[in-house]
Amino acid sequence: MKYIESKKNEEIKQINKLNKTKEIKKTGTYLIEGFHLVREADENNQKILTIIVTEKNEEDQLVKKYYDNALVVSDDIAKGLSDTTTLQGIFAVIKINEPEEIPTLNGQWVILANVQDPGNVGTIVRTADAAGYDGVITSLDSADIYQPKVQRSMQGSQFHLPIYRLDLQDAISRAKDAGLTVYGSEVNDQAVPYNTLNKVDNFALIMGNEAHGLSEDALQMTDQNIYIPILGKAESLNVAVAAGVLMYGLKDF
Amino acid sequence: MKYIESKKNEEIKQINKLNKTKEIKKTGTYLIEGFHLVREADENNQKILTIIVTEKNEEDQLVKKYYDNALVVSDDIAKGLSDTTTLQGIFAVIKINEPEEIPTLNGQWVILANVQDPGNVGTIVRTADAAGYDGVITSLDSADIYQPKVQRSMQGSQFHLPIYRLDLQDAISRAKDAGLTVYGSEVNDQAVPYNTLNKVDNFALIMGNEAHGLSEDALQMTDQNIYIPILGKAESLNVAVAAGVLMYGLKDF
């Protein structure tokens, strides 16, 4: 265990950089915040490289478990690391653990195609977990899941189900090759209301960009395009809400 | 039309205060931002008191329509007023238009009980609009709908359906007196999965606080408590996603 008082400490400066995707990629590590997430990471056998706490949390069991890799920092340093307004005073640096090879897809998957908002990406992963989906694939142009804001909104679901990052066309091809029915979400002439579908057990649901929806290329690759009927005067739904309605709506439970 | 260059201009200083609930209440006015919202306000006959634009938008039709009440401001002033990162350079101050008397409730309503996050409140109103609900009631302790962040996430739905602010117990009583079936959303022994309900035409769905759910008092007043089955390992759903799943799930369409 080490005590750090200065914001200029090299280790702290390095950890602070983990709010940038570039640094996350370079180091192969990312930062999480709060008791709930750090406990989930620990319970789900993630590799915790460093645990950072304020003095009031110095006696916590987690600190004892990771004693050799614990940093006790001032409230001021903790505030600098924090992405939230209500400081819990606990953080961890985690080693990214991505599989060398992606297994054949099976069951029910969500594919995020250029979903940009970190809160949307995180919330969709959380909902996929709640709805009992088998995993999530994010396209290369979606928000990076290791960003602090995405990590926070996933609320620990990142440790419950696999999340793969793939080229969109590659992801769709893998889903089709594995025999999953691929649903695009889009309003067009060939699309049908989600609630009129015959439910299937194995499928992939693609959710598109917040402003532009799914690209024409992706829509061409789907087996069926579906939409949520707008029964009032709104132009559209928030993509995380739409994903939730569809994820539960497509399940047979 | 007036040109304003200085941030210290009294009118600008006053408009800037409209990001605070206290000032919104005191003046009975609120601020909206962006072409989509200002157009929706205009099209839906809201009382636009002032329209504020940057020089590049000086020739816009909306500015011509509200010529006598238009302020042309510097980009710098506009950035100060803005709640977003991508500045569109158009704002409007709107007069709050609340009914003196709330009509008898009818059809399908959503009641927000102590929902705190502005984004959640706004997104739920937007979803209620999309799902064809008749209106939304927010409890006195929910986020104020006239805050800029709530206004933005409603995406214009605030002009499509009535939103009333009421004491929670008063709201539930009104729903019951009007013959609506009142659903609480909560996991407890008496609650049933939402997808096993017999659908009814007239109901009110209550959504509770992000962290604490619905209070015991409120749960006692409901006709039926319902929940969304968690089929995976997540502890819970985001309240706006849960509201979306339930709003569509309870409709017969």
Side-chain angles (χ1 to χ4, degrees):
Chain A
M1 190 156 71
K2 267 196 294 194
Y3 288 82
I4 300 179
E5 291 290 335
S6 166
K7 276 192 167 178
K8 290 178 182 160
N9 174 282
E10 282 305 321
E11 213 164 346
I12 294 299
K13 273 160 75 180
Q14 181 54 42
I15 292 168
N16 239 326
K17 286 186 194 157
L18 293 178
N19 61 4
K20 296 222 163 51
T21 299
K22 197 179 144 195
E23 197 66 20
I24 292 165
K25 284 212 175 107
K26 196 174 120 189
T27 59
T29 66
Y30 65 103
L31 184 69
I32 58 174
E33 175 174 3
F35 278 103
H36 178 67
L37 275 193
V38 178
R39 281 199 195 113
E40 285 262 7
D42 175 58
E43 285 163 12
N44 289 280
N45 306 312
Q46 301 300 302
K47 193 161 170 53
I48 296 182
L49 301 175
T50 313
I51 196 158
I52 305 113
V53 293
T54 51
E55 276 178 29
K56 70 169 185 196
N57 298 323
E58 205 179 315
E59 300 293 319
D60 193 90
Q61 290 302 322
L62 280 166
V63 179
K64 289 180 180 159
K65 180 165 175 185
Y66 296 97
Y67 189 87
D68 290 342
N69 303 308
L71 306 178
V72 180
V73 302
S74 65
D75 282 10
D76 209 33
I77 292 178
K79 275 180 202 148
L81 291 175
S82 179
D83 187 44
T84 65
T85 43
T86 45
L87 188 70
Q88 291 190 27
I90 183 163
F91 306 82
V93 178
I94 315 273
K95 188 166 164 39
I96 291 177
N97 176 21
E98 281 179 345
E100 282 179 34
E101 206 164 320
I102 290 171
T104 304
L105 303 182
N106 190 22
Q108 300 170 347
W109 286 74
V110 179
I111 299 175
L112 303 187
N114 193 17
V115 177
Q116 288 296 315
D117 179 79
N120 285 339
V121 171
T123 303
I124 292 172
V125 171
R126 178 180 172 193
T127 310
D129 180 17
Y133 277 59
D134 294 280
V136 175
I137 297 173
T138 66
S139 66
L140 302 178
D141 51 5
S142 292
D144 180 19
I145 61 156
Y146 297 108
Q147 283 180 54
K149 276 190 212 302
V150 183
Q151 288 291 318
R152 191 174 69 228
S153 54
M154 291 196 284
Q155 299 245 334
S157 291
Q158 61 269 50
F159 308 125
H160 301 161
L161 79 180
I163 309 170
Y164 302 133
R165 191 170 182 86
L166 282 174
D167 170 77
L168 180 61
Q169 304 218 343
D170 184 15
I172 300 175
S173 298
R174 282 171 189 255
K176 293 181 83 130
D177 291 349
L180 309 188
T181 302
V182 176
Y183 296 120
S185 48
E186 182 77 6
V187 181
N188 65 20
D189 286 350
Q190 288 81 46
V192 300
Y194 77 96
N195 56 322
T196 63
L197 284 181
N198 289 324
K199 290 175 181 175
V200 298
D201 287 336
N202 299 294
F203 62 86
L205 166 66
I206 316 178
M207 300 302 303
N209 176 263
E210 286 87 345
H212 307 295
L214 267 185
S215 72
E216 207 41 59
D217 286 358
L219 286 171
Q220 293 298 332
M221 291 181 75
T222 58
D223 294 312
Q224 177 69 59
N225 292 321
I226 59 177
Y227 67 92
I228 299 171
I230 299 288
L231 309 166
K233 287 183 264 178
E235 283 179 17
S236 64
L237 285 160
N238 166 280
V239 68
V241 172
V245 171
L246 291 177
M247 277 191 253
Y248 271 95
L250 295 176
K251 299 272 302 193
D252 196 8
F253 70 105
Chain B
M1 192 155 71
K2 266 197 293 193
Y3 288 83
I4 300 180
E5 292 290 335
S6 166
K7 276 190 169 181
K8 292 179 183 160
N9 174 283
E10 283 303 321
E11 210 162 348
I12 293 301
K13 274 160 75 179
Q14 180 54 43
I15 292 168
N16 239 324
K17 287 188 194 157
L18 293 179
N19 60 4
K20 298 220 164 53
T21 299
K22 196 179 142 193
E23 197 67 19
I24 293 165
K25 283 211 178 109
K26 195 175 118 186
T27 60
T29 66
Y30 64 104
L31 183 68
I32 58 173
E33 174 173 5
F35 278 103
H36 178 67
L37 275 193
V38 179
R39 279 198 196 111
E40 284 263 4
D42 175 57
E43 285 164 12
N44 289 281
N45 305 313
Q46 301 301 302
K47 190 158 173 56
I48 295 181
L49 300 175
T50 314
I51 195 160
I52 305 115
V53 293
T54 51
E55 275 178 28
K56 70 170 184 197
N57 297 324
E58 204 179 319
E59 300 294 318
D60 193 272
Q61 289 304 321
L62 279 166
V63 180
K64 289 182 180 156
K65 180 163 176 187
Y66 295 97
Y67 189 88
D68 290 341
N69 303 307
L71 305 178
V72 180
V73 302
S74 65
D75 282 9
D76 210 32
I77 291 177
K79 275 180 202 147
L81 290 177
S82 179
D83 186 43
T84 66
T85 44
T86 45
L87 188 71
Q88 290 190 30
I90 184 163
F91 306 80
V93 177
I94 314 275
K95 187 165 166 38
I96 290 176
N97 177 19
E98 281 178 346
E100 281 177 37
E101 205 163 324
I102 292 174
T104 303
L105 302 183
N106 189 22
Q108 300 169 349
W109 286 74
V110 179
I111 299 176
L112 303 187
N114 193 16
V115 177
Q116 288 297 315
D117 181 79
N120 285 338
V121 170
T123 302
I124 292 172
V125 171
R126 179 179 171 192
T127 309
D129 180 17
Y133 277 59
D134 293 281
V136 175
I137 298 173
T138 67
S139 66
L140 302 178
D141 52 5
S142 292
D144 180 18
I145 63 158
Y146 297 107
Q147 282 182 52
K149 276 190 212 302
V150 182
Q151 288 292 318
R152 190 173 71 227
S153 53
M154 290 195 285
Q155 298 245 335
S157 290
Q158 61 269 52
F159 308 125
H160 301 161
L161 79 180
I163 309 170
Y164 302 133
R165 191 169 184 88
L166 281 174
D167 169 75
L168 179 60
Q169 305 218 342
D170 183 16
I172 299 175
S173 298
R174 283 170 189 256
K176 292 180 83 131
D177 291 350
L180 310 188
T181 302
V182 177
Y183 296 120
S185 48
E186 183 77 4
V187 182
N188 65 20
D189 287 350
Q190 288 81 46
V192 299
Y194 77 95
N195 56 321
T196 63
L197 284 180
N198 289 324
K199 291 175 181 176
V200 299
D201 287 336
N202 298 294
F203 63 87
L205 166 66
I206 315 178
M207 300 302 302
N209 176 263
E210 286 86 345
H212 307 295
L214 266 186
S215 71
E216 207 43 58
D217 285 358
L219 286 171
Q220 294 298 333
M221 291 181 75
T222 58
D223 294 311
Q224 175 70 59
N225 292 321
I226 59 176
Y227 67 92
I228 300 172
I230 299 290
L231 308 167
K233 287 182 266 178
E235 282 178 18
S236 63
L237 286 160
N238 165 282
V239 67
V241 172
V245 171
L246 291 176
M247 276 191 253
Y248 271 95
L250 295 175
K251 298 272 300 195
D252 196 9
F253 70 103

